[in-house]
PDB file of all heavy atoms in Angstrom:
ATOM      1  N   PRO W 308     -16.353   0.438 -21.436  1.00 98.00           N
ATOM      2  CA  PRO W 308     -15.428   1.448 -20.922  1.00 98.00           C
ATOM      3  C   PRO W 308     -16.113   2.791 -20.683  1.00 98.00           C
ATOM      4  O   PRO W 308     -17.065   3.165 -21.385  1.00 98.00           O
ATOM      5  CB  PRO W 308     -14.384   1.572 -22.036  1.00 98.00           C
ATOM      6  CG  PRO W 308     -14.489   0.301 -22.815  1.00 98.00           C
ATOM      7  CD  PRO W 308     -15.933  -0.085 -22.757  1.00 98.00           C
ATOM      8  N   TYR W 309     -15.595   3.517 -19.685  1.00 97.00           N
ATOM      9  CA  TYR W 309     -15.958   4.917 -19.483  1.00 97.00           C
ATOM     10  C   TYR W 309     -15.015   5.739 -20.366  1.00 97.00           C
ATOM     11  O   TYR W 309     -13.834   5.912 -20.043  1.00 97.00           O
ATOM     12  CB  TYR W 309     -15.804   5.300 -18.015  1.00 97.00           C
ATOM     13  CG  TYR W 309     -16.814   4.639 -17.106  1.00 97.00           C
ATOM     14  CD1 TYR W 309     -16.451   3.548 -16.313  1.00 97.00           C
ATOM     15  CD2 TYR W 309     -18.127   5.093 -17.053  1.00 97.00           C
ATOM     16  CE1 TYR W 309     -17.378   2.934 -15.473  1.00 97.00           C
ATOM     17  CE2 TYR W 309     -19.067   4.489 -16.210  1.00 97.00           C
ATOM     18  CZ  TYR W 309     -18.683   3.409 -15.428  1.00 97.00           C
ATOM     19  OH  TYR W 309     -19.609   2.801 -14.613  1.00 97.00           O
ATOM     20  N   LEU W 310     -15.524   6.226 -21.491  1.00 97.00           N
ATOM     21  CA  LEU W 310     -14.663   6.803 -22.518  1.00 97.00           C
ATOM     22  C   LEU W 310     -13.968   8.085 -22.056  1.00 97.00           C
ATOM     23  O   LEU W 310     -12.857   8.385 -22.506  1.00 97.00           O
ATOM     24  CB  LEU W 310     -15.481   7.070 -23.783  1.00 97.00           C
ATOM     25  CG  LEU W 310     -16.101   5.818 -24.423  1.00 97.00           C
ATOM     26  CD1 LEU W 310     -16.873   6.195 -25.683  1.00 97.00           C
ATOM     27  CD2 LEU W 310     -15.023   4.778 -24.748  1.00 97.00           C
ATOM     28  N   GLU W 311     -14.607   8.845 -21.165  1.00 96.00           N
ATOM     29  CA  GLU W 311     -13.946  10.046 -20.645  1.00 96.00           C
ATOM     30  C   GLU W 311     -12.657   9.668 -19.911  1.00 96.00           C
ATOM     31  O   GLU W 311     -11.617  10.311 -20.074  1.00 96.00           O
ATOM     32  CB  GLU W 311     -14.884  10.804 -19.704  1.00 96.00           C
ATOM     33  CG  GLU W 311     -16.144  11.329 -20.356  1.00 96.00           C
ATOM     34  CD  GLU W 311     -17.294  10.330 -20.331  1.00 96.00           C
ATOM     35  OE1 GLU W 311     -17.036   9.125 -20.062  1.00 96.00           O
ATOM     36  OE2 GLU W 311     -18.443  10.748 -20.569  1.00 96.00           O
ATOM     37  N   MET W 312     -12.744   8.627 -19.101  1.00 97.00           N
ATOM     38  CA  MET W 312     -11.579   8.185 -18.327  1.00 97.00           C
ATOM     39  C   MET W 312     -10.481   7.644 -19.244  1.00 97.00           C
ATOM     40  O   MET W 312      -9.299   7.965 -19.074  1.00 97.00           O
ATOM     41  CB  MET W 312     -12.005   7.109 -17.337  1.00 97.00           C
ATOM     42  CG  MET W 312     -12.773   7.622 -16.146  1.00 97.00           C
ATOM     43  SD  MET W 312     -11.708   8.532 -15.008  1.00 97.00           S
ATOM     44  CE  MET W 312     -10.616   7.238 -14.453  1.00 97.00           C
ATOM     45  N   THR W 313     -10.856   6.828 -20.199  1.00 97.00           N
ATOM     46  CA  THR W 313      -9.832   6.201 -21.039  1.00 97.00           C
ATOM     47  C   THR W 313      -9.154   7.222 -21.949  1.00 97.00           C
ATOM     48  O   THR W 313      -7.964   7.121 -22.227  1.00 97.00           O
ATOM     49  CB  THR W 313     -10.437   5.052 -21.858  1.00 97.00           C
ATOM     50  OG1 THR W 313     -11.506   5.539 -22.674  1.00 97.00           O
ATOM     51  CG2 THR W 313     -10.980   3.968 -20.933  1.00 97.00           C
ATOM     52  N   ALA W 314      -9.916   8.243 -22.404  1.00 95.00           N
ATOM     53  CA  ALA W 314      -9.298   9.297 -23.213  1.00 95.00           C
ATOM     54  C   ALA W 314      -8.283  10.080 -22.390  1.00 95.00           C
ATOM     55  O   ALA W 314      -7.183  10.405 -22.861  1.00 95.00           O
ATOM     56  CB  ALA W 314     -10.371  10.229 -23.769  1.00 95.00           C
ATOM     57  N   MET W 315      -8.656  10.398 -21.145  1.00 94.00           N
ATOM     58  CA  MET W 315      -7.739  11.134 -20.282  1.00 94.00           C
ATOM     59  C   MET W 315      -6.489  10.312 -19.988  1.00 94.00           C
ATOM     60  O   MET W 315      -5.360  10.814 -20.038  1.00 94.00           O
ATOM     61  CB  MET W 315      -8.434  11.518 -18.978  1.00 94.00           C
ATOM     62  CG  MET W 315      -7.560  12.288 -18.008  1.00 94.00           C
ATOM     63  SD  MET W 315      -6.956  13.856 -18.678  1.00 94.00           S
ATOM     64  CE  MET W 315      -8.476  14.836 -18.571  1.00 94.00           C
ATOM     65  N   SER W 316      -6.680   9.041 -19.699  1.00 96.00           N
ATOM     66  CA  SER W 316      -5.534   8.193 -19.399  1.00 96.00           C
ATOM     67  C   SER W 316      -4.576   8.115 -20.577  1.00 96.00           C
ATOM     68  O   SER W 316      -3.353   8.175 -20.412  1.00 96.00           O
ATOM     69  CB  SER W 316      -6.018   6.793 -19.017  1.00 96.00           C
ATOM     70  OG  SER W 316      -4.918   5.935 -18.796  1.00 96.00           O
ATOM     71  N   ARG W 317      -5.118   8.009 -21.765  1.00 95.00           N
ATOM     72  CA  ARG W 317      -4.276   7.891 -22.954  1.00 95.00           C
ATOM     73  C   ARG W 317      -3.424   9.131 -23.161  1.00 95.00           C
ATOM     74  O   ARG W 317      -2.222   9.053 -23.419  1.00 95.00           O
ATOM     75  CB  ARG W 317      -5.156   7.655 -24.171  1.00 95.00           C
ATOM     76  CG  ARG W 317      -4.436   7.539 -25.508  1.00 95.00           C
ATOM     77  CD  ARG W 317      -3.617   6.271 -25.615  1.00 95.00           C
ATOM     78  NE  ARG W 317      -2.207   6.478 -25.294  1.00 95.00           N
ATOM     79  CZ  ARG W 317      -1.344   5.499 -25.120  1.00 95.00           C
ATOM     80  NH1 ARG W 317      -1.722   4.241 -25.210  1.00 95.00           N
ATOM     81  NH2 ARG W 317      -0.086   5.760 -24.842  1.00 95.00           N
ATOM     82  N   VAL W 318      -4.036  10.299 -23.008  1.00 91.00           N
ATOM     83  CA  VAL W 318      -3.268  11.522 -23.272  1.00 91.00           C
ATOM     84  C   VAL W 318      -2.223  11.756 -22.179  1.00 91.00           C
ATOM     85  O   VAL W 318      -1.109  12.229 -22.460  1.00 91.00           O
ATOM     86  CB  VAL W 318      -4.197  12.742 -23.444  1.00 91.00           C
ATOM     87  CG1 VAL W 318      -4.768  13.214 -22.112  1.00 91.00           C
ATOM     88  CG2 VAL W 318      -3.459  13.886 -24.137  1.00 91.00           C
ATOM     89  N   ILE W 319      -2.541  11.415 -20.927  1.00 92.00           N
ATOM     90  CA  ILE W 319      -1.532  11.530 -19.862  1.00 92.00           C
ATOM     91  C   ILE W 319      -0.347  10.625 -20.168  1.00 92.00           C
ATOM     92  O   ILE W 319       0.821  11.015 -20.041  1.00 92.00           O
ATOM     93  CB  ILE W 319      -2.139  11.174 -18.496  1.00 92.00           C
ATOM     94  CG1 ILE W 319      -3.226  12.166 -18.088  1.00 92.00           C
ATOM     95  CG2 ILE W 319      -1.048  11.099 -17.420  1.00 92.00           C
ATOM     96  CD1 ILE W 319      -2.732  13.524 -17.689  1.00 92.00           C
ATOM     97  N   ALA W 320      -0.648   9.387 -20.565  1.00 94.00           N
ATOM     98  CA  ALA W 320       0.432   8.448 -20.870  1.00 94.00           C
ATOM     99  C   ALA W 320       1.291   8.948 -22.028  1.00 94.00           C
ATOM    100  O   ALA W 320       2.525   8.797 -22.013  1.00 94.00           O
ATOM    101  CB  ALA W 320      -0.156   7.076 -21.204  1.00 94.00           C
ATOM    102  N   ASP W 321       0.661   9.565 -23.028  1.00 91.00           N
ATOM    103  CA  ASP W 321       1.416  10.074 -24.171  1.00 91.00           C
ATOM    104  C   ASP W 321       2.327  11.227 -23.800  1.00 91.00           C
ATOM    105  O   ASP W 321       3.353  11.453 -24.460  1.00 91.00           O
ATOM    106  CB  ASP W 321       0.442  10.531 -25.269  1.00 91.00           C
ATOM    107  CG  ASP W 321      -0.208   9.365 -26.005  1.00 91.00           C
ATOM    108  OD1 ASP W 321       0.324   8.238 -25.922  1.00 91.00           O
ATOM    109  OD2 ASP W 321      -1.248   9.585 -26.655  1.00 91.00           O
ATOM    110  N   GLN W 322       1.950  11.982 -22.760  1.00 88.00           N
ATOM    111  CA  GLN W 322       2.678  13.209 -22.442  1.00 88.00           C
ATOM    112  C   GLN W 322       3.541  13.115 -21.189  1.00 88.00           C
ATOM    113  O   GLN W 322       4.251  14.061 -20.859  1.00 88.00           O
ATOM    114  CB  GLN W 322       1.664  14.363 -22.248  1.00 88.00           C
ATOM    115  CG  GLN W 322       0.725  14.583 -23.399  1.00 88.00           C
ATOM    116  CD  GLN W 322       1.438  14.972 -24.688  1.00 88.00           C
ATOM    117  OE1 GLN W 322       2.496  15.606 -24.649  1.00 88.00           O
ATOM    118  NE2 GLN W 322       0.890  14.589 -25.825  1.00 88.00           N
ATOM    119  N   MET W 323       3.508  11.981 -20.477  1.00 89.00           N
ATOM    120  CA  MET W 323       4.082  11.989 -19.132  1.00 89.00           C
ATOM    121  C   MET W 323       5.603  12.151 -19.128  1.00 89.00           C
ATOM    122  O   MET W 323       6.164  12.763 -18.202  1.00 89.00           O
ATOM    123  CB  MET W 323       3.684  10.733 -18.359  1.00 89.00           C
ATOM    124  CG  MET W 323       4.196   9.436 -18.865  1.00 89.00           C
ATOM    125  SD  MET W 323       3.591   8.083 -17.809  1.00 89.00           S
ATOM    126  CE  MET W 323       4.241   6.668 -18.684  1.00 89.00           C
ATOM    127  N   TYR W 324       6.306  11.675 -20.151  1.00 89.00           N
ATOM    128  CA  TYR W 324       7.763  11.823 -20.126  1.00 89.00           C
ATOM    129  C   TYR W 324       8.171  13.258 -20.428  1.00 89.00           C
ATOM    130  O   TYR W 324       9.143  13.770 -19.859  1.00 89.00           O
ATOM    131  CB  TYR W 324       8.414  10.827 -21.081  1.00 89.00           C
ATOM    132  CG  TYR W 324       8.293   9.409 -20.584  1.00 89.00           C
ATOM    133  CD1 TYR W 324       7.379   8.527 -21.149  1.00 89.00           C
ATOM    134  CD2 TYR W 324       9.064   8.972 -19.505  1.00 89.00           C
ATOM    135  CE1 TYR W 324       7.240   7.228 -20.660  1.00 89.00           C
ATOM    136  CE2 TYR W 324       8.941   7.687 -19.015  1.00 89.00           C
ATOM    137  CZ  TYR W 324       8.022   6.820 -19.597  1.00 89.00           C
ATOM    138  OH  TYR W 324       7.878   5.545 -19.119  1.00 89.00           O
ATOM    139  N   GLU W 325       7.424  13.927 -21.308  1.00 85.00           N
ATOM    140  CA  GLU W 325       7.683  15.345 -21.542  1.00 85.00           C
ATOM    141  C   GLU W 325       7.449  16.148 -20.256  1.00 85.00           C
ATOM    142  O   GLU W 325       8.218  17.047 -19.918  1.00 85.00           O
ATOM    143  CB  GLU W 325       6.791  15.876 -22.665  1.00 85.00           C
ATOM    144  CG  GLU W 325       7.213  15.439 -24.068  1.00 85.00           C
ATOM    145  CD  GLU W 325       6.745  14.026 -24.407  1.00 85.00           C
ATOM    146  OE1 GLU W 325       6.049  13.413 -23.567  1.00 85.00           O
ATOM    147  OE2 GLU W 325       7.077  13.546 -25.494  1.00 85.00           O
ATOM    148  N   LEU W 326       6.359  15.802 -19.548  1.00 85.00           N
ATOM    149  CA  LEU W 326       6.091  16.470 -18.280  1.00 85.00           C
ATOM    150  C   LEU W 326       7.219  16.221 -17.284  1.00 85.00           C
ATOM    151  O   LEU W 326       7.714  17.139 -16.626  1.00 85.00           O
ATOM    152  CB  LEU W 326       4.769  15.974 -17.693  1.00 85.00           C
ATOM    153  CG  LEU W 326       3.481  16.454 -18.357  1.00 85.00           C
ATOM    154  CD1 LEU W 326       2.287  15.710 -17.759  1.00 85.00           C
ATOM    155  CD2 LEU W 326       3.311  17.954 -18.177  1.00 85.00           C
ATOM    156  N   ARG W 327       7.629  14.983 -17.166  1.00 86.00           N
ATOM    157  CA  ARG W 327       8.645  14.607 -16.174  1.00 86.00           C
ATOM    158  C   ARG W 327       9.978  15.286 -16.465  1.00 86.00           C
ATOM    159  O   ARG W 327      10.717  15.658 -15.554  1.00 86.00           O
ATOM    160  CB  ARG W 327       8.809  13.080 -16.180  1.00 86.00           C
ATOM    161  CG  ARG W 327       9.708  12.558 -15.087  1.00 86.00           C
ATOM    162  CD  ARG W 327       9.045  12.630 -13.719  1.00 86.00           C
ATOM    163  NE  ARG W 327       9.762  11.858 -12.723  1.00 86.00           N
ATOM    164  CZ  ARG W 327       9.229  11.345 -11.640  1.00 86.00           C
ATOM    165  NH1 ARG W 327       7.937  11.521 -11.399  1.00 86.00           N
ATOM    166  NH2 ARG W 327       9.944  10.664 -10.780  1.00 86.00           N
ATOM    167  N   LEU W 328      10.264  15.464 -17.761  1.00 85.00           N
ATOM    168  CA  LEU W 328      11.546  16.035 -18.151  1.00 85.00           C
ATOM    169  C   LEU W 328      11.508  17.552 -18.235  1.00 85.00           C
ATOM    170  O   LEU W 328      12.478  18.182 -18.671  1.00 85.00           O
ATOM    171  CB  LEU W 328      11.978  15.447 -19.499  1.00 85.00           C
ATOM    172  CG  LEU W 328      12.283  13.944 -19.479  1.00 85.00           C
ATOM    173  CD1 LEU W 328      12.505  13.421 -20.898  1.00 85.00           C
ATOM    174  CD2 LEU W 328      13.496  13.654 -18.614  1.00 85.00           C
ATOM    175  N   GLY W 329      10.386  18.147 -17.853  1.00 79.00           N
ATOM    176  CA  GLY W 329      10.318  19.600 -17.798  1.00 79.00           C
ATOM    177  C   GLY W 329       9.900  20.263 -19.085  1.00 79.00           C
ATOM    178  O   GLY W 329       9.978  21.494 -19.207  1.00 79.00           O
ATOM    179  N   GLN W 330       9.460  19.513 -20.079  1.00 70.00           N
ATOM    180  CA  GLN W 330       8.993  20.084 -21.345  1.00 70.00           C
ATOM    181  C   GLN W 330       7.476  20.252 -21.265  1.00 70.00           C
ATOM    182  O   GLN W 330       6.709  19.628 -21.987  1.00 70.00           O
ATOM    183  CB  GLN W 330       9.397  19.172 -22.501  1.00 70.00           C
ATOM    184  CG  GLN W 330      10.906  18.963 -22.586  1.00 70.00           C
ATOM    185  CD  GLN W 330      11.288  17.786 -23.470  1.00 70.00           C
ATOM    186  OE1 GLN W 330      10.445  17.201 -24.136  1.00 70.00           O
ATOM    187  NE2 GLN W 330      12.568  17.444 -23.467  1.00 70.00           N
ATOM    188  N   GLU W 331       7.039  21.140 -20.353  1.00 68.00           N
ATOM    189  CA  GLU W 331       5.642  21.143 -19.938  1.00 68.00           C
ATOM    190  C   GLU W 331       4.676  21.768 -20.926  1.00 68.00           C
ATOM    191  O   GLU W 331       3.523  21.355 -21.012  1.00 68.00           O
ATOM    192  CB  GLU W 331       5.473  21.888 -18.596  1.00 68.00           C
ATOM    193  CG  GLU W 331       6.059  21.178 -17.410  1.00 68.00           C
ATOM    194  CD  GLU W 331       7.427  21.719 -17.045  1.00 68.00           C
ATOM    195  OE1 GLU W 331       8.030  22.391 -17.893  1.00 68.00           O
ATOM    196  OE2 GLU W 331       7.884  21.463 -15.925  1.00 68.00           O
ATOM    197  N   GLN W 332       5.092  22.754 -21.701  1.00 68.00           N
ATOM    198  CA  GLN W 332       4.117  23.569 -22.409  1.00 68.00           C
ATOM    199  C   GLN W 332       3.268  22.761 -23.378  1.00 68.00           C
ATOM    200  O   GLN W 332       2.032  22.779 -23.310  1.00 68.00           O
ATOM    201  CB  GLN W 332       4.817  24.708 -23.159  1.00 68.00           C
ATOM    202  CG  GLN W 332       3.816  25.673 -23.814  1.00 68.00           C
ATOM    203  CD  GLN W 332       4.502  26.898 -24.393  1.00 68.00           C
ATOM    204  OE1 GLN W 332       5.697  27.100 -24.226  1.00 68.00           O
ATOM    205  NE2 GLN W 332       3.746  27.736 -25.072  1.00 68.00           N
ATOM    206  N   ASP W 333       3.886  22.026 -24.283  1.00 70.00           N
ATOM    207  CA  ASP W 333       3.119  21.247 -25.249  1.00 70.00           C
ATOM    208  C   ASP W 333       2.331  20.150 -24.569  1.00 70.00           C
ATOM    209  O   ASP W 333       1.188  19.868 -24.945  1.00 70.00           O
ATOM    210  CB  ASP W 333       4.046  20.637 -26.303  1.00 70.00           C
ATOM    211  CG  ASP W 333       4.654  21.685 -27.211  1.00 70.00           C
ATOM    212  OD1 ASP W 333       4.114  22.815 -27.243  1.00 70.00           O
ATOM    213  OD2 ASP W 333       5.663  21.377 -27.865  1.00 70.00           O
ATOM    214  N   ALA W 334       2.934  19.512 -23.557  1.00 69.00           N
ATOM    215  CA  ALA W 334       2.254  18.434 -22.852  1.00 69.00           C
ATOM    216  C   ALA W 334       1.011  18.948 -22.139  1.00 69.00           C
ATOM    217  O   ALA W 334      -0.059  18.344 -22.202  1.00 69.00           O
ATOM    218  CB  ALA W 334       3.211  17.774 -21.865  1.00 69.00           C
ATOM    219  N   MET W 335       1.131  20.084 -21.457  1.00 69.00           N
ATOM    220  CA  MET W 335      -0.011  20.620 -20.729  1.00 69.00           C
ATOM    221  C   MET W 335      -1.106  21.076 -21.682  1.00 69.00           C
ATOM    222  O   MET W 335      -2.297  20.970 -21.379  1.00 69.00           O
ATOM    223  CB  MET W 335       0.430  21.775 -19.833  1.00 69.00           C
ATOM    224  CG  MET W 335       1.277  21.343 -18.638  1.00 69.00           C
ATOM    225  SD  MET W 335       0.483  20.076 -17.609  1.00 69.00           S
ATOM    226  CE  MET W 335      -0.916  20.988 -16.968  1.00 69.00           C
ATOM    227  N   GLN W 336      -0.734  21.572 -22.835  1.00 73.00           N
ATOM    228  CA  GLN W 336      -1.755  21.948 -23.821  1.00 73.00           C
ATOM    229  C   GLN W 336      -2.534  20.726 -24.292  1.00 73.00           C
ATOM    230  O   GLN W 336      -3.766  20.784 -24.446  1.00 73.00           O
ATOM    231  CB  GLN W 336      -1.097  22.662 -24.998  1.00 73.00           C
ATOM    232  CG  GLN W 336      -0.624  24.073 -24.675  1.00 73.00           C
ATOM    233  CD  GLN W 336       0.113  24.723 -25.821  1.00 73.00           C
ATOM    234  OE1 GLN W 336       0.407  24.073 -26.840  1.00 73.00           O
ATOM    235  NE2 GLN W 336       0.442  25.997 -25.679  1.00 73.00           N
ATOM    236  N   ALA W 337      -1.844  19.617 -24.506  1.00 70.00           N
ATOM    237  CA  ALA W 337      -2.530  18.395 -24.932  1.00 70.00           C
ATOM    238  C   ALA W 337      -3.474  17.894 -23.847  1.00 70.00           C
ATOM    239  O   ALA W 337      -4.608  17.481 -24.113  1.00 70.00           O
ATOM    240  CB  ALA W 337      -1.500  17.318 -25.279  1.00 70.00           C
ATOM    241  N   ILE W 338      -3.021  17.944 -22.592  1.00 69.00           N
ATOM    242  CA  ILE W 338      -3.865  17.514 -21.479  1.00 69.00           C
ATOM    243  C   ILE W 338      -5.057  18.454 -21.334  1.00 69.00           C
ATOM    244  O   ILE W 338      -6.188  18.031 -21.111  1.00 69.00           O
ATOM    245  CB  ILE W 338      -3.034  17.456 -20.180  1.00 69.00           C
ATOM    246  CG1 ILE W 338      -1.995  16.336 -20.290  1.00 69.00           C
ATOM    247  CG2 ILE W 338      -3.932  17.238 -18.964  1.00 69.00           C
ATOM    248  CD1 ILE W 338      -0.961  16.361 -19.194  1.00 69.00           C
ATOM    249  N   HIS W 339      -4.814  19.751 -21.495  1.00 67.00           N
ATOM    250  CA  HIS W 339      -5.899  20.729 -21.355  1.00 67.00           C
ATOM    251  C   HIS W 339      -6.998  20.479 -22.377  1.00 67.00           C
ATOM    252  O   HIS W 339      -8.191  20.654 -22.083  1.00 67.00           O
ATOM    253  CB  HIS W 339      -5.337  22.144 -21.493  1.00 67.00           C
ATOM    254  CG  HIS W 339      -6.373  23.209 -21.300  1.00 67.00           C
ATOM    255  ND1 HIS W 339      -6.991  23.845 -22.361  1.00 67.00           N
ATOM    256  CD2 HIS W 339      -6.926  23.729 -20.175  1.00 67.00           C
ATOM    257  CE1 HIS W 339      -7.855  24.720 -21.893  1.00 67.00           C
ATOM    258  NE2 HIS W 339      -7.831  24.672 -20.572  1.00 67.00           N
ATOM    259  N   ARG W 340      -6.616  20.084 -23.593  1.00 71.00           N
ATOM    260  CA  ARG W 340      -7.643  19.816 -24.612  1.00 71.00           C
ATOM    261  C   ARG W 340      -8.583  18.703 -24.166  1.00 71.00           C
ATOM    262  O   ARG W 340      -9.797  18.765 -24.390  1.00 71.00           O
ATOM    263  CB  ARG W 340      -6.976  19.465 -25.948  1.00 71.00           C
ATOM    264  CG  ARG W 340      -6.399  20.669 -26.667  1.00 71.00           C
ATOM    265  CD  ARG W 340      -6.051  20.338 -28.104  1.00 71.00           C
ATOM    266  NE  ARG W 340      -4.952  19.402 -28.208  1.00 71.00           N
ATOM    267  CZ  ARG W 340      -3.671  19.766 -28.247  1.00 71.00           C
ATOM    268  NH1 ARG W 340      -3.338  21.052 -28.169  1.00 71.00           N
ATOM    269  NH2 ARG W 340      -2.712  18.870 -28.359  1.00 71.00           N
ATOM    270  N   VAL W 341      -8.030  17.665 -23.523  1.00 67.00           N
ATOM    271  CA  VAL W 341      -8.879  16.578 -23.048  1.00 67.00           C
ATOM    272  C   VAL W 341      -9.698  17.045 -21.843  1.00 67.00           C
ATOM    273  O   VAL W 341     -10.849  16.639 -21.665  1.00 67.00           O
ATOM    274  CB  VAL W 341      -8.041  15.340 -22.703  1.00 67.00           C
ATOM    275  CG1 VAL W 341      -8.919  14.210 -22.202  1.00 67.00           C
ATOM    276  CG2 VAL W 341      -7.269  14.880 -23.949  1.00 67.00           C
ATOM    277  N   PHE W 342      -9.146  17.909 -21.019  1.00 64.00           N
ATOM    278  CA  PHE W 342      -9.887  18.452 -19.881  1.00 64.00           C
ATOM    279  C   PHE W 342     -11.128  19.201 -20.341  1.00 64.00           C
ATOM    280  O   PHE W 342     -12.139  19.227 -19.646  1.00 64.00           O
ATOM    281  CB  PHE W 342      -8.996  19.427 -19.095  1.00 64.00           C
ATOM    282  CG  PHE W 342      -8.268  18.802 -17.939  1.00 64.00           C
ATOM    283  CD1 PHE W 342      -7.276  17.866 -18.146  1.00 64.00           C
ATOM    284  CD2 PHE W 342      -8.565  19.175 -16.648  1.00 64.00           C
ATOM    285  CE1 PHE W 342      -6.580  17.316 -17.090  1.00 64.00           C
ATOM    286  CE2 PHE W 342      -7.886  18.615 -15.571  1.00 64.00           C
ATOM    287  CZ  PHE W 342      -6.893  17.685 -15.796  1.00 64.00           C
TER     288      PHE W 342
END
Side-chain angles (χ1 to χ4, degrees):
Y309 291 103
L310 298 181
E311 297 89 345
M312 285 288 295
T313 58
M315 180 60 75
S316 177
R317 179 69 263 169
V318 74
I319 296 288
D321 286 342
Q322 305 298 330
M323 65 180 176
Y324 290 104
E325 285 81 3
L326 287 172
R327 187 73 167 206
L328 294 172
Q330 301 164 8
E331 290 99 343
Q332 185 172 354
D333 291 343
M335 290 305 294
Q336 287 176 352
I338 293 169
H339 183 261
R340 285 193 293 272
V341 180
F342 266 67

